[in-house]
């Protein structure tokens, strides 16, 4: 255990330093990693290109022997497939025939009719050729490859291809090798063309097979330029007999001499075909790749809370891919050549290596405290996850090691690759990905700095700063409310079906994607089936250029410099071979009969055939060439010269009918250029076609796009006539919900920013920075009571404050103008939302003594109430109304003790303040329950005052504490006060009233509303300190919530404590946050949620004290938290409202708020969320994240953000706009929404 | 005060009506969800059966099949639907058992993990079809280890293990019965070869389909939970 712990610590420390290093020197490290990757991938260059192209190997004809079955010696020279006899030896007789001299009487058909006719006599010669010598008599029948039936599917070709005999094909097969049929054929071209496939060419056509040369070379067409007909007679031989072939060659050459032919005849090319990939094999492969991509997609989708999600996803994929390449490269470097099919095992390798580590790293780094330096964040994140990463890696290595001992070669090789891949992946993760992550995080911080005030990030808690940091007015942002949905499954819009379909199409861009995929597949098919000879061309290029290609070596070997000890045979050939090409060119230009020329390109005419030529040729007889090879012998050149007279004699009577107008005789100069021009033209045609298709496709796509995609990218607010007031929130579809405008009830009267807000549905109590408490009727918006603070007002630093000697309730009107101006100043002094919870509190207030001086304990008038409500200075909004959902028996009036002397002060307008300390005390916490207002002050004094409709009076006060009260909870007849020094005080409120006078208020229809006692001014109220927990927390208590008989406190010391209300007994201390607690939510159902400065939200089980879930949701503090039955709603300093699934802790979606309105939200019902914006409130469907409606609150509040938002029971919303409140009734809206 | 009460009553009445409606809707939704899940699982099962059958067929396939697509359906027509039905049953059974046993399965409940699981499953099939093993014992041992590894990596629940074993056993038994009755024949003459890898493949398939089914069920679970909580 200790060893393990030590190891763990060591690993953690190592990762920490590594993280520091990576984040400190990002650029050099990335460069270093890139160099590493490139170095490791360098050996890959030596590998042959992947693909199923055939491989060639050339040997000399002279000393050819059938390679032995077992590989023997010199493995470097001959490829490993070159063993055993080939499937067949291919002997081609290349015939070039032309009518010469060309006569003007001739029609184009004559150019190939009689030359083609010569094939029959030639065939007879070949068939009947017999070679006899001492060893016996040999004919072609004995040597050739005997074939049986064609494949059943090829009945159509039965007449054309030989069956049950020698595999010997020639153009004569079109006419069943019968001269009579040929002569009586009225239309040769039609006979040849009728077997050609229509439309897309498949790989090898019948014409190619029978003619044995590429279709364009044959010259069998009406507009052939040079009128030379080229064809071959192709024989497949089973046995290689030098003497027979030699005699055949010499005989044919003798009979039909080719004048200037100097084809080299010393090379025999062996072509090896790899395994074919058919459709059947492709389907599983494609499936694995689809699964792979789905895996990558689902993995990278989890990357969150970073600056550039796609950038990081790309980096993750790059990490995995380059680690694979590195593993292959390293294995090659150490002599392990991969024998497995790379394409097949690749997806599995990716899956084994996985993206998990990368995601874990990202998540860990992102969840570190935002206010740390980037370096430290990276280091912390790394070291947090170091143990699990190392553990996982060790496990994986172990598993792979086990796999290595299966002793199955394929699995062993896979495991080897996986091990090297894992190690290199780890290397890349540590160096490459971590660095990229650090860069990304730094970018995010920079972007943040531009957005939010710098003081917020790392403000030292104790230092008294200047005024509360004044924020610049938020810049207009293009769309203040963007809502991002994570799971489309949750979207269940109330839209017509038609729209839904269109939206679905638009959202997934299905049509475009299908078209794109179709195009890609089409291009793939095009390339595969090879209509333009592109692939052959490429293959030829590759095989010629690749130094490893079998064909290339011998050609290179015929280099001018020869080692001395070489066989003489090659030396003989060499002098001839070298000058041949140039020579033959010259000859063909000069002396040769016009039209026929033999060039080096004729040597290996089969190279220009599709490289599926031979496999398909043999496949017709069910002979596979996969993983086998054929040997192609040097061609036998044969030249025919047909005189015009002969041509005329053989002409068919119908030939002239088809003759098109005769072309002028092509000049001899054009001859050499004929072929290139033709290919060029084809190329242009293909290019033009491609261009046209591309343009068409683009147009089509554009039309579809316009048709199907309703989004207006980047055109916010311009085209929408409805967007009257700048930016309107809109949801995913660019659908702007209906906008309505209503005139709210404006509650004016405060002349400074409203600090605390408490409500119970009937009454609304608000306290401003000046300490003035006002009580409003939540129904009518009338100001019922004003409880002012009296005393001096010193001039503040802004200089806007006048000395004012108190004022009474009647003087509200004349203050309006002043209040407006001052309220703005105060509003500029800082949003309460922006404040840090406790440590900044003394900072904020200590700096404004002039404001707090106005506070007096004496209350002129008191606010009324029925139900309690709490709102302390730093937590706002919708949490409040939960506090009075308590269902507890009403306060029983117990006459337990003689009431202590109630401190009664009536309208002490001009009175002297009681104590000098009061002058400096501000109201930090306010609670409203029944008609009692509890106010906690910075001086530590607890005040409870009773309100009635006419006057507010201070009924009771307690000044036991010395430290400021930071939070209050008022539950039943108990008041809990949390103090700055971390102590917790429990007070009991006793009411002495005559029996029988008990009144209850509250609607009997609503079950959840406890009947609240109504106090009358005759009652005597006492407030007793029952218990004081001195060291409840080590640091200031920041939050206090009470419900269901529990009191929950959250403090700066990162812990949450749960107390029982009755006996103030501490039940649990909940640890789990890595920052001070800033928000707590508890309700009647014992659901406890807490949010901290680390941006984390924890859900706890109050009964057991265990942590249910723990999520990181915000960058920066969590400012408020509300739970509904299914969701947890949180808001943070990042102005984001996140909605989480309560049971799984999965983020459902988030809503971006305008700057400064981050914490203003409230829950009206379980499915309705209201958020504040600039001069407006928006309603959202909580379950689906749809924006339902935006309501503007009239002209007066325009441009000012809603800072606090309280939802009252009677479908009213109270919005805090700085110094004034807006009371909004939205019943009409709600009825529609429900 | 009276106005307030009236309003509250109205709200209460409205919400009760709303809740009753949404309860019915939730029930209807639940069956619809079940059907959708079943269909989805069926399709996945059919697709996987086709693809994996192709892999197995390839072992003896000639190089030039006259038509590539014909070999997809080279086996009996009823095999893919059977596999689809079985996978639908398994995929629905797993979350059901989870619910009966208590809480839903929580280990690695993400789509990426499920995808990884499917990829490993296809890989096991691929290995059994493509890799040449020295003998059948080696093949079956390797496959068994891989299957157990699959369970350990992606499931780790006892119910999953038990169900996997049970179904694999039943399926193997059924296949053997079919073979004895001549309804079905293996392409490979090596009888032991077939028998040895079959249970492992079945087991891995059960784990995979269960994983998919659980993941699908999570969506429904969440949706239904929300729906019921709205009441």
């Amino acid at each position: 255990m200790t060893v393990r712990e030590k190891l763990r610590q060591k690993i953690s420390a190592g990762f920490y330093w590594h993280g520091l290093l990576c984040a400190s020197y990002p650029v050099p490290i990335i460069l270093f990693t890139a160099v590493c990757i490139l170095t490791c991938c360098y050996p890959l260059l030596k590998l042959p290109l992947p693909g199923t192209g055939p491989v060639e190997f050339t040997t000399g004809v002279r000393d050819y022997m059938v390679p032995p079955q077992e590989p023997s010696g010199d493995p470097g020279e001959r490829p490993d497939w070159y063993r055993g006899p080939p499937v067949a030896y291919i002997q081609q007789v290349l015939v070039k025939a032309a009518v010469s001299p060309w006569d003007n009487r001739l029609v184009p058909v004559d150019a190939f009719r009689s030359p083609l006719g010569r094939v029959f006599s030639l065939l007879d010669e070949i068939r009947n050729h017999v070679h006899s010598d001492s060893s016996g008599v040999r004919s072609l029948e004995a040597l050739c490859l005997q074939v049986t039936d064609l494949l059943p599917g090829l009945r159509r070709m039965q007449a054309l291809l030989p069956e049950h005999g020698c595999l010997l094909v020639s153009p004569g097969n079109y006419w069943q090798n019968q001269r009579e049929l040929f002569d009586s054929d009225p239309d040769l071209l039609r006979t040849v063309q009728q077997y050609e496939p229509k439309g897309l060419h498949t790989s090898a056509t019948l014409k190619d097979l029978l003619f044995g040369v590429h279709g364009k070379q044959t010259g069998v067409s009406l507009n052939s330029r040079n009128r030379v007909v080229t064809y071959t007679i192709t024989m497949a031989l089973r046995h290689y007999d030098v003497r027979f072939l030699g005699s055949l060659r010499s005989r044919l050459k003798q009979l039909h001499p080719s004048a200037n032919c100097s084809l080299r005849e010393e090379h025999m090319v062996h072509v090896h075909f790899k395994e074919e990939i058919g459709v059947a094999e492709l389907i599983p492969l494609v499936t694995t790749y689809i699964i792979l991509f789905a895996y990558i997609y689902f993995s990278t989708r989890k990357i969150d809370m970073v600056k550039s999600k796609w950038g990081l996803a790309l980096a993750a994929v790059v990490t995995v891919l380059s680690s694979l390449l590195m593993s292959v490269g390293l294995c090659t470097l150490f002599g392990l050549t991969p024998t497995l099919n790379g394409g097949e095992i690749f997806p599995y390798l990716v899956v084994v290596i996985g993206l998990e580590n990368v995601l874990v790293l990202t998540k860990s780094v992102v969840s570190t405290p935002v206010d740390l330096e980037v370096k430290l964040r990276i280091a912390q994140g790394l070291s947090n996850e170091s143990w699990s990463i190392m553990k996982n890696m060790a496990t994986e290595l172990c598993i792979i090691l086990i796999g290595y001992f299966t002793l199955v070669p394929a699995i062993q090789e896979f495991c080897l690759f996986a091990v090297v891949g894992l190690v290199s992946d780890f290397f890349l993760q540590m160096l490459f990905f971590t660095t990229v992550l650090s860069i990304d995080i730094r970018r995010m911080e920079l972007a943040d700095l531009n957005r939010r005030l710098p003081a917020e990030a790392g403000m030292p808690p104790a230092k008294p700063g200047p005024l509360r940091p004044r924020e610049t007015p938020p810049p207009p942002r293009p769309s203040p409310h963007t809502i991002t949905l994570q799971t489309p499954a949750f979207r269940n819009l109330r839209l017509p079906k038609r729209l839904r379909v269109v939206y679905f199409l638009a959202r997934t861009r299905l049509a475009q994607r299908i078209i794109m995929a179709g195009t890609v597949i089409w291009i793939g098919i095009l390339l595969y089936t090879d209509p333009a000879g592109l692939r052959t061309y490429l293959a030829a290029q590759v095989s010629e250029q690749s130094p490893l290609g079998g064909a290339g070596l011998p050609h290179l070997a015929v280099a001018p410099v020869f080692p001395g000890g070489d066989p003489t045979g090659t030396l003989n050939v060499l002098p001839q071979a070298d000058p041949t090409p140039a020579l033959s060119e010259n000859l063909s230009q000069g002396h040769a009969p016009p039209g026929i020329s033999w060039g080096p390109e004729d040597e290996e005419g089969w190279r220009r055939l599709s490289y599926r030529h031979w496999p398909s040729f043999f496949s017709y007889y069910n002979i596979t060439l996969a993983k086998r090879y054929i040997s192609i012998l040097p061609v036998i050149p044969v030249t025919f010269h047909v005189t015009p007279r002969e041509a005329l004699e053989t002409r068919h009577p119908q030939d002239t009918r088809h003759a098109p107008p005769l072309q002028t005789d092509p000049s001899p100069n054009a001859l050499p250029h004929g072929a290139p021009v033709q290919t060029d033209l084809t190329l242009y045609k293909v290019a033009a076609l491609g261009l046209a298709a591309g343009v068409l496709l683009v147009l089509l796509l554009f039309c579809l796009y316009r048709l199907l995609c309703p989004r207006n990218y980047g055109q916010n607010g311009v085209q929408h006539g409805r967007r009257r007031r700048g930016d309107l929130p809109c949801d995913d579809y660019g659908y702007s919900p209906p906008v309505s405008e209503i005139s709210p009830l404006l509650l004016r009267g405060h002349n400074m920013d409203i600090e605390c807000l408490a409500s119970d549905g009937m009454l609304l109590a608000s306290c401003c920075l000046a300490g003035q408490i006002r009580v409003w009727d939540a129904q009518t918006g009338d100001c019922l009571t004003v409880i002012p603070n009296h005393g001096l007002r010193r001039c503040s630093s802004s200089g806007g404050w006048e000395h004012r000697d108190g004022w009474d309730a009647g003087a509200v009107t004349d203050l309006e103008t002043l209040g407006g101006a001052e309220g703005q100043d105060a509003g500029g002094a800082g949003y309460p939302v922006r404040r840090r919870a406790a440590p900044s509190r003394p900072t904020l207030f200590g700096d404004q003594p002039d404001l707090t001086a106005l506070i007096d304990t004496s209350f002129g008038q008191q606010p009324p109430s029925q139900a309690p409500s709490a709102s302390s200075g730093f937590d706002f909004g919708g949490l409040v109304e939960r506090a009075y959902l308590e269902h507890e028996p009403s306060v029983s009036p117990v006459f337990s003790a003689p009431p202590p002397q109630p401190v009664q002060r009536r309208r002490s307008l001009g009175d002297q303040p009681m104590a000098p300390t009061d002058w400096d005390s501000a109201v930090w916490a306010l609670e409203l329950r029944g008609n009692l207002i509890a106010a906690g002050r910075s001086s530590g004094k607890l005040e409870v005052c009773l309100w009635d409709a006419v006057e507010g009076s201070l009924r009771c006060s307690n000044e036991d504490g010395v430290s400021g009260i930071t939070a209050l909870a008022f539950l039943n007849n108990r008041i809990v006060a949390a103090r700055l020094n971390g102590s917790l005080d429990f007070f009991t409120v006793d009411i002495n009233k005559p029996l029988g006078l008990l009144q209850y208020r509250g609607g009997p229809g609503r079950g959840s509303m406890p009947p609240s006692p109504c106090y009358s001014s005759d009652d005597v109220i006492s407030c007793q300190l029952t218990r004081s927990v001195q060291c409840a927390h080590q640091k200031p208590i920041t939050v206090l919530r009470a419900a269901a008989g529990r009191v929950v406190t959250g403090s700066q010391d990162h812990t949450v404590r749960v107390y029982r209300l009755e006996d103030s007994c501490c039940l649990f201390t909940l640890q789990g946050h890595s920052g001070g607690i800033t928000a707590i939510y508890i309700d009647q159902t014992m659901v406890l949620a807490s949010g901290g400065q680390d941006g984390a939200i924890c859900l706890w089980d109050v009964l057991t004290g265990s942590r249910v879930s723990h999520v990181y949701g915000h960058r920066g503090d969590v400012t408020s938290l509300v739970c509904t039955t299914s969701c947890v709603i949180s808001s943070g300093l990042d102005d984001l409202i996140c909605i989480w699934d309560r049971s799984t802790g999965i983020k459902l979606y988030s809503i971006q708020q305008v700057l400064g309105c981050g914490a203003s939200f409230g829950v009206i019902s379980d499915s309705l969320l209201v958020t504040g914006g600039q001069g407006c409130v928006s309603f959202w469907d909580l379950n689906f994240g749809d924006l339902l409606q935006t309501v503007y609150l009239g002209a007066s509040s325009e441009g000012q953000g809603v800072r606090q938002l309280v939802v009252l029971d009677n479908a009213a919303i109270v919005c805090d706009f700085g110094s004034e409140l807006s009371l909004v009734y939205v019943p009409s809206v709600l009825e529609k929404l429900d | 005060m009276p106005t307030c009460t009236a309003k509250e009553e109205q709200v209460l009445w409205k919400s009760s009506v709303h809740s009753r409606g949404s309860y019915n809707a939730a029930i209807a939704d639940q069956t619809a969800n079940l059907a959708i899940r079943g269909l989805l699982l069926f399709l996945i099962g059919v697709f996987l059966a086709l693809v994996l059958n192709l892999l197995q067929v390839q072992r003896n396939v000639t190089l030039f099949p006259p038509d590539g697509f014909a070999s997809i359906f080279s086996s009996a027509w009823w095999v893919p639907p059977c596999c689809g039905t079985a996978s639908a049953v398994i995929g629905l059974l797993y979350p059901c058992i989870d619910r009966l046993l208590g809480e839903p399965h929580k280990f690695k409940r993400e789509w990426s993990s499920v995808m990884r699981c499917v990829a490993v499953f296809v890989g096991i099939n691929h290995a059994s079809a493509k890799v040449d093993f020295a003998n059948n014992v080696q093949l079956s041992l390797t496959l068994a280890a891989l299957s157990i590894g699959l369970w350990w990596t992606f499931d780790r629940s006892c119910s999953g293990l038990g169900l996997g074993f049970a179904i694999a056993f039943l399926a193997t038994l059924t296949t053997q019965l079919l073979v004895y009755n001549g309804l079905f024949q293996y392409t490979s003459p090596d009888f032991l070869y077939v028998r040895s890898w079959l249970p492992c493949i079945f087991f891995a398939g059960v784990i995979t389909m269960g994983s998919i089914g659980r993941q699908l069920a999570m969506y429904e679970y969440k949706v239904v939970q929300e729906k019921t909580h709205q009441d």
Side-chain angles (χ1 to χ4, degrees), chain A residues 551-563:
Chain A
L553 280 176
H555 285 303
L556 290 180
V558 195
V561 187
F562 247 58

Side-chain angles (χ1 to χ4, degrees), chain A residues 697-910:
Chain A
L697 204 72
V698 167
L699 283 178
L700 194 69
L701 274 177
F702 183 73
C703 290
L704 277 168
Y705 178 81
R706 297 299 303 197
L707 214 66
L708 292 174
C709 188
R711 297 178 92 166
N712 293 299
Y713 296 106
Q715 295 174 4
N716 272 341
V718 181
Q719 292 191 337
H720 295 271
R722 288 184 299 186
R723 300 193 170 187
R724 291 170 300 174
R725 296 170 186 274
D727 316 311
L728 242 191
C730 64
D731 73 353
D732 251 3
Y733 306 127
Y735 159 75
S736 333
V739 176
S740 52
E741 188 163 350
I742 49 177
S743 307
L745 290 169
L746 273 185
L747 312 183
R748 286 185 181 149
H750 286 292
N751 54 356
M752 296 191 70
D753 266 11
I754 289 163
E755 174 80 28
C756 311
L757 206 53
S759 158
D760 65 346
M762 292 294 159
L763 298 173
L764 183 68
S766 62
C767 173
C768 70
L769 280 179
Q772 182 197 40
I773 298 172
R774 280 176 173 251
V775 180
W776 318 81
D777 186 339
Q779 303 276 342
T780 60
D782 298 334
C783 179
L784 298 176
T785 318
V786 178
I787 307 170
N789 273 316
H790 310 282
L792 279 178
R793 281 194 181 192
R794 283 171 251 153
C795 282
S796 72
S797 51
S798 58
W801 299 103
E802 303 164 347
H803 181 91
R804 197 182 296 151
D805 272 336
W807 35 282
D808 58 14
V812 174
T813 46
D814 65 21
L815 283 171
E816 291 234 344
T817 48
L818 277 171
E822 290 157 357
Q824 281 206 332
D825 271 0
Y831 290 153
V833 190
R834 291 275 153 215
R835 254 185 279 135
R836 271 189 184 270
S840 51
R841 180 162 295 281
T843 313
L844 299 170
F845 283 95
D847 213 46
Q848 294 178 331
D850 39 351
L851 305 185
T852 56
L854 297 173
I855 299 165
D856 198 345
T857 50
S858 58
F859 293 94
Q861 291 161 332
Q862 312 115 313
S865 179
Q866 57 152 357
S869 179
S871 177
S872 46
F874 46 89
D875 41 45
F876 319 101
L879 293 180
V880 173
E881 78 270 17
R882 293 282 163 190
Y884 56 79
L885 284 179
E886 318 294 4
H887 195 106
E888 292 275 329
S890 62
V891 182
S892 54
V894 182
F895 300 86
S896 55
Q901 185 76 12
V903 187
Q904 295 262 359
R905 286 154 117 240
R906 304 235 170 222
R907 298 215 48 152
S908 51
L909 196 70

Side-chain angles (χ1 to χ4, degrees), chain A residues 297 301 309 482-493 507 731-733 1139 1147-1151 1180-1187:
Chain A
Y297 169 73
R301 211 177 59 160
K309 198 172 162 161
T482 52
I483 169 159
T484 51
L485 274 188
Q486 285 216 322
T487 43
F490 285 98
R491 299 198 64 91
N492 190 5
L493 291 168
R507 190 170 69 241
D731 73 353
D732 251 3
Y733 306 127
I1139 289 86
K1147 184 153 107 175
L1148 301 182
Y1149 52 91
S1150 58
I1151 301 169
W1180 304 80
D1181 187 330
L1182 202 52
N1183 294 315
F1184 307 114
D1186 296 337
L1187 178 59

